[in-house]
Amino acid sequence: MQPDRELALVTGASSGIGRQCALSLAERGFDLAITARRQDRLEELKGEIESRHGVGATVLVEDLSAAGGPERLAEAVGRIGRPLSVLVNNAGFGYYGAVTEANLAEIQATLQVNVNALTTLVRLLVPAMRERRHGYILNVSSFAALQPIPLYAVYSGAKAYVVAFSLALRHELRRSGVKVTVVCPGFTATEFHDVARHRKTGIMRRTTLSSESVARQALAGMFRGKAMVVPGAAYKLTGLALRFMPRTWASAMAAAVVKN
């Protein structure tokens, strides 16, 4: 790492959208701090970043679902000794199934990573950005925040929080030099549905976006200072239609899409 290069932190960087965000930021000339639970995946990504783009990468292994995980991560970022310019809160997951039958520990872990960890990292890392009057925050939500999905109720609710939190935070920081963007991807080619234990339906497979495309559109929107990014033309049009549709109808439609 070189002190004249800006530093970006990407959570959930071991796969999917997070991995592609890290690679795209490296392509733009940022040094990276990459974090997730799987050290082998992070080390592989570090090697790719450094060999392909000639920038530095620091591996920070942390479980954001564990007690004190976000705090430990913030401390580790501080030990790098470089000001943070970009925070990508990408880490997140959900489980498929009825809330009344779900494992309580899985519900709590979903909320911890998608809501508590994201909020804690903003609180701990963004004040320094505000003091420097420079920085970018990209919070990764989901199209499930805009169209609540039955059998993903906890995940949809958590991601709706991310949208509301991001837009409110954006207003709070509007004169600070720190830009806040929230991205709401639809179905994306990641490990999400494997973790969720959900076999994709036909329409889900046909409307799946690439993680590289989502990452590039999200970062482009972030650097342009957009409030919200919805990747993919079909999802943009659907999002527009949802504004004029009762949310109960939207949720029923989502149920039909995801139900096997």
Short mmCIF file of all heavy atoms in Angstrom, two decimals, residues 221-251:
data_model
loop_
_atom_site.label_atom_id
_atom_site.label_comp_id
_atom_site.label_asym_id
_atom_site.label_seq_id
_atom_site.Cartn_x
_atom_site.Cartn_y
_atom_site.Cartn_z
N GLY A 221 -22.81 4.84 -9.86
CA GLY A 221 -23.81 5.70 -9.25
C GLY A 221 -23.29 6.37 -7.99
O GLY A 221 -23.56 7.56 -7.74
N MET A 222 -22.53 5.64 -7.20
CA MET A 222 -21.96 6.20 -5.98
C MET A 222 -21.04 7.37 -6.29
O MET A 222 -21.14 8.44 -5.68
CB MET A 222 -21.19 5.11 -5.22
CG MET A 222 -20.56 5.59 -3.92
SD MET A 222 -19.40 4.39 -3.22
CE MET A 222 -17.98 4.62 -4.31
N PHE A 223 -20.15 7.19 -7.26
CA PHE A 223 -19.19 8.26 -7.58
C PHE A 223 -19.89 9.45 -8.26
O PHE A 223 -19.36 10.56 -8.22
CB PHE A 223 -18.06 7.72 -8.44
CG PHE A 223 -17.06 6.91 -7.66
CD1 PHE A 223 -16.83 5.57 -7.97
CD2 PHE A 223 -16.35 7.46 -6.61
CE1 PHE A 223 -15.92 4.82 -7.26
CE2 PHE A 223 -15.44 6.72 -5.89
CZ PHE A 223 -15.22 5.39 -6.20
N ARG A 224 -21.05 9.23 -8.84
CA ARG A 224 -21.83 10.35 -9.39
C ARG A 224 -22.68 11.03 -8.33
O ARG A 224 -23.35 12.03 -8.61
CB ARG A 224 -22.73 9.87 -10.54
CG ARG A 224 -21.99 9.48 -11.80
CD ARG A 224 -22.92 9.49 -13.02
NE ARG A 224 -24.06 8.62 -12.84
CZ ARG A 224 -24.12 7.34 -13.20
NH1 ARG A 224 -23.06 6.77 -13.75
NH2 ARG A 224 -25.21 6.63 -13.01
N GLY A 225 -22.71 10.45 -7.13
CA GLY A 225 -23.47 11.04 -6.05
C GLY A 225 -24.95 10.73 -6.07
O GLY A 225 -25.76 11.45 -5.47
N LYS A 226 -25.35 9.62 -6.72
CA LYS A 226 -26.76 9.26 -6.77
C LYS A 226 -27.24 8.77 -5.41
O LYS A 226 -26.49 8.13 -4.66
CB LYS A 226 -27.00 8.17 -7.82
CG LYS A 226 -26.79 8.62 -9.25
CD LYS A 226 -27.24 7.57 -10.24
CE LYS A 226 -28.74 7.35 -10.21
NZ LYS A 226 -29.19 6.43 -11.28
N ALA A 227 -28.50 9.04 -5.11
CA ALA A 227 -29.07 8.59 -3.84
C ALA A 227 -29.34 7.09 -3.85
O ALA A 227 -29.03 6.38 -2.89
CB ALA A 227 -30.36 9.35 -3.54
N MET A 228 -29.92 6.60 -4.94
CA MET A 228 -30.29 5.18 -5.04
C MET A 228 -29.98 4.66 -6.43
O MET A 228 -30.19 5.36 -7.42
CB MET A 228 -31.77 4.98 -4.73
CG MET A 228 -32.22 3.53 -4.80
SD MET A 228 -34.02 3.31 -4.54
CE MET A 228 -34.15 3.72 -2.81
N VAL A 229 -29.48 3.44 -6.49
CA VAL A 229 -29.19 2.77 -7.76
C VAL A 229 -29.99 1.47 -7.79
O VAL A 229 -29.94 0.67 -6.85
CB VAL A 229 -27.69 2.46 -7.91
CG1 VAL A 229 -27.43 1.67 -9.20
CG2 VAL A 229 -26.87 3.74 -7.88
N VAL A 230 -30.74 1.27 -8.88
CA VAL A 230 -31.44 0.00 -9.12
C VAL A 230 -30.86 -0.57 -10.41
O VAL A 230 -31.21 -0.11 -11.51
CB VAL A 230 -32.96 0.20 -9.23
CG1 VAL A 230 -33.64 -1.14 -9.53
CG2 VAL A 230 -33.52 0.81 -7.95
N PRO A 231 -29.96 -1.54 -10.33
CA PRO A 231 -29.31 -2.06 -11.54
C PRO A 231 -30.30 -2.85 -12.42
O PRO A 231 -31.18 -3.54 -11.92
CB PRO A 231 -28.23 -3.00 -10.98
CG PRO A 231 -28.03 -2.56 -9.56
CD PRO A 231 -29.38 -2.10 -9.10
N GLY A 232 -30.08 -2.73 -13.73
CA GLY A 232 -30.86 -3.51 -14.68
C GLY A 232 -32.12 -2.79 -15.13
O GLY A 232 -32.91 -2.33 -14.31
N ALA A 233 -32.31 -2.72 -16.45
CA ALA A 233 -33.45 -1.99 -17.01
C ALA A 233 -34.78 -2.58 -16.55
O ALA A 233 -35.72 -1.84 -16.22
CB ALA A 233 -33.37 -2.01 -18.54
N ALA A 234 -34.89 -3.91 -16.50
CA ALA A 234 -36.15 -4.54 -16.11
C ALA A 234 -36.50 -4.19 -14.66
O ALA A 234 -37.67 -3.94 -14.34
CB ALA A 234 -36.06 -6.04 -16.28
N TYR A 235 -35.49 -4.17 -13.80
CA TYR A 235 -35.76 -3.84 -12.40
C TYR A 235 -36.08 -2.36 -12.23
O TYR A 235 -36.91 -1.98 -11.39
CB TYR A 235 -34.57 -4.24 -11.53
CG TYR A 235 -34.47 -5.73 -11.33
CD1 TYR A 235 -33.53 -6.49 -12.03
CD2 TYR A 235 -35.33 -6.39 -10.46
CE1 TYR A 235 -33.45 -7.86 -11.85
CE2 TYR A 235 -35.27 -7.76 -10.29
CZ TYR A 235 -34.32 -8.49 -10.99
OH TYR A 235 -34.26 -9.86 -10.81
N LYS A 236 -35.46 -1.51 -13.03
CA LYS A 236 -35.81 -0.08 -12.99
C LYS A 236 -37.28 0.12 -13.35
O LYS A 236 -38.01 0.87 -12.68
CB LYS A 236 -34.92 0.71 -13.95
CG LYS A 236 -33.50 0.94 -13.49
CD LYS A 236 -32.75 1.81 -14.48
CE LYS A 236 -31.34 2.14 -14.00
NZ LYS A 236 -30.47 0.97 -13.95
N LEU A 237 -37.73 -0.54 -14.41
CA LEU A 237 -39.12 -0.41 -14.84
C LEU A 237 -40.07 -0.98 -13.80
O LEU A 237 -41.13 -0.40 -13.51
CB LEU A 237 -39.32 -1.10 -16.18
CG LEU A 237 -38.67 -0.43 -17.39
CD1 LEU A 237 -38.79 -1.31 -18.62
CD2 LEU A 237 -39.31 0.94 -17.65
N THR A 238 -39.70 -2.13 -13.22
CA THR A 238 -40.53 -2.73 -12.18
C THR A 238 -40.61 -1.82 -10.96
O THR A 238 -41.68 -1.64 -10.37
CB THR A 238 -39.98 -4.11 -11.78
OG1 THR A 238 -39.90 -4.95 -12.93
CG2 THR A 238 -40.88 -4.77 -10.74
N GLY A 239 -39.48 -1.24 -10.58
CA GLY A 239 -39.45 -0.33 -9.45
C GLY A 239 -40.36 0.87 -9.68
O GLY A 239 -41.05 1.33 -8.75
N LEU A 240 -40.37 1.37 -10.90
CA LEU A 240 -41.25 2.49 -11.23
C LEU A 240 -42.71 2.07 -11.11
O LEU A 240 -43.55 2.80 -10.55
CB LEU A 240 -40.94 2.99 -12.65
CG LEU A 240 -41.79 4.16 -13.16
CD1 LEU A 240 -41.56 5.40 -12.29
CD2 LEU A 240 -41.45 4.46 -14.62
N ALA A 241 -43.04 0.89 -11.63
CA ALA A 241 -44.42 0.41 -11.56
C ALA A 241 -44.88 0.20 -10.12
O ALA A 241 -46.04 0.45 -9.78
CB ALA A 241 -44.55 -0.90 -12.34
N LEU A 242 -43.96 -0.23 -9.26
CA LEU A 242 -44.31 -0.49 -7.86
C LEU A 242 -44.75 0.77 -7.13
O LEU A 242 -45.49 0.69 -6.14
CB LEU A 242 -43.12 -1.12 -7.13
CG LEU A 242 -42.77 -2.56 -7.52
CD1 LEU A 242 -41.47 -2.99 -6.84
CD2 LEU A 242 -43.90 -3.52 -7.18
N ARG A 243 -44.30 1.93 -7.60
CA ARG A 243 -44.70 3.18 -6.94
C ARG A 243 -46.20 3.43 -7.05
O ARG A 243 -46.78 4.15 -6.23
CB ARG A 243 -43.96 4.35 -7.57
CG ARG A 243 -42.45 4.31 -7.39
CD ARG A 243 -41.81 5.54 -8.01
NE ARG A 243 -40.35 5.47 -7.99
CZ ARG A 243 -39.55 6.41 -8.46
NH1 ARG A 243 -40.08 7.52 -8.98
NH2 ARG A 243 -38.23 6.27 -8.42
N PHE A 244 -46.84 2.84 -8.06
CA PHE A 244 -48.26 3.07 -8.31
C PHE A 244 -49.11 1.85 -7.94
O PHE A 244 -50.31 1.82 -8.24
CB PHE A 244 -48.48 3.42 -9.78
CG PHE A 244 -47.66 4.59 -10.24
CD1 PHE A 244 -46.45 4.38 -10.90
CD2 PHE A 244 -48.08 5.89 -9.99
CE1 PHE A 244 -45.67 5.46 -11.31
CE2 PHE A 244 -47.31 6.97 -10.40
CZ PHE A 244 -46.11 6.76 -11.06
N MET A 245 -48.51 0.89 -7.26
CA MET A 245 -49.20 -0.37 -6.96
C MET A 245 -49.33 -0.53 -5.44
O MET A 245 -48.40 -0.23 -4.70
CB MET A 245 -48.37 -1.53 -7.52
CG MET A 245 -49.01 -2.90 -7.34
SD MET A 245 -47.89 -4.21 -7.94
CE MET A 245 -47.72 -3.75 -9.67
N PRO A 246 -50.48 -0.97 -4.93
CA PRO A 246 -50.58 -1.27 -3.50
C PRO A 246 -49.50 -2.27 -3.08
O PRO A 246 -49.23 -3.24 -3.80
CB PRO A 246 -51.98 -1.88 -3.37
CG PRO A 246 -52.74 -1.35 -4.53
CD PRO A 246 -51.74 -1.22 -5.65
N ARG A 247 -48.89 -2.02 -1.94
CA ARG A 247 -47.78 -2.87 -1.51
C ARG A 247 -48.23 -4.31 -1.25
O ARG A 247 -47.44 -5.25 -1.37
CB ARG A 247 -47.09 -2.27 -0.29
CG ARG A 247 -46.31 -1.01 -0.66
CD ARG A 247 -45.70 -0.34 0.54
NE ARG A 247 -44.59 -1.09 1.12
CZ ARG A 247 -43.34 -1.08 0.63
NH1 ARG A 247 -43.06 -0.39 -0.46
NH2 ARG A 247 -42.38 -1.75 1.21
N THR A 248 -49.49 -4.49 -0.89
CA THR A 248 -49.99 -5.85 -0.72
C THR A 248 -49.99 -6.62 -2.04
O THR A 248 -49.70 -7.81 -2.07
CB THR A 248 -51.41 -5.84 -0.13
OG1 THR A 248 -52.24 -4.97 -0.92
CG2 THR A 248 -51.38 -5.34 1.32
N TRP A 249 -50.31 -5.91 -3.13
CA TRP A 249 -50.25 -6.55 -4.45
C TRP A 249 -48.81 -6.88 -4.81
O TRP A 249 -48.53 -7.97 -5.34
CB TRP A 249 -50.84 -5.62 -5.52
CG TRP A 249 -52.29 -5.35 -5.42
CD1 TRP A 249 -53.14 -5.68 -4.38
CD2 TRP A 249 -53.09 -4.70 -6.40
NE1 TRP A 249 -54.40 -5.25 -4.64
CE2 TRP A 249 -54.42 -4.64 -5.86
CE3 TRP A 249 -52.85 -4.15 -7.64
CZ2 TRP A 249 -55.46 -4.06 -6.56
CZ3 TRP A 249 -53.89 -3.55 -8.35
CH2 TRP A 249 -55.19 -3.52 -7.81
N ALA A 250 -47.92 -5.93 -4.57
CA ALA A 250 -46.51 -6.14 -4.88
C ALA A 250 -45.95 -7.33 -4.15
O ALA A 250 -45.20 -8.15 -4.70
CB ALA A 250 -45.71 -4.88 -4.55
N SER A 251 -46.33 -7.48 -2.88
CA SER A 251 -45.85 -8.59 -2.08
C SER A 251 -46.42 -9.93 -2.58
O SER A 251 -45.70 -10.93 -2.65
CB SER A 251 -46.22 -8.37 -0.61
OG SER A 251 -45.57 -9.30 0.21
#
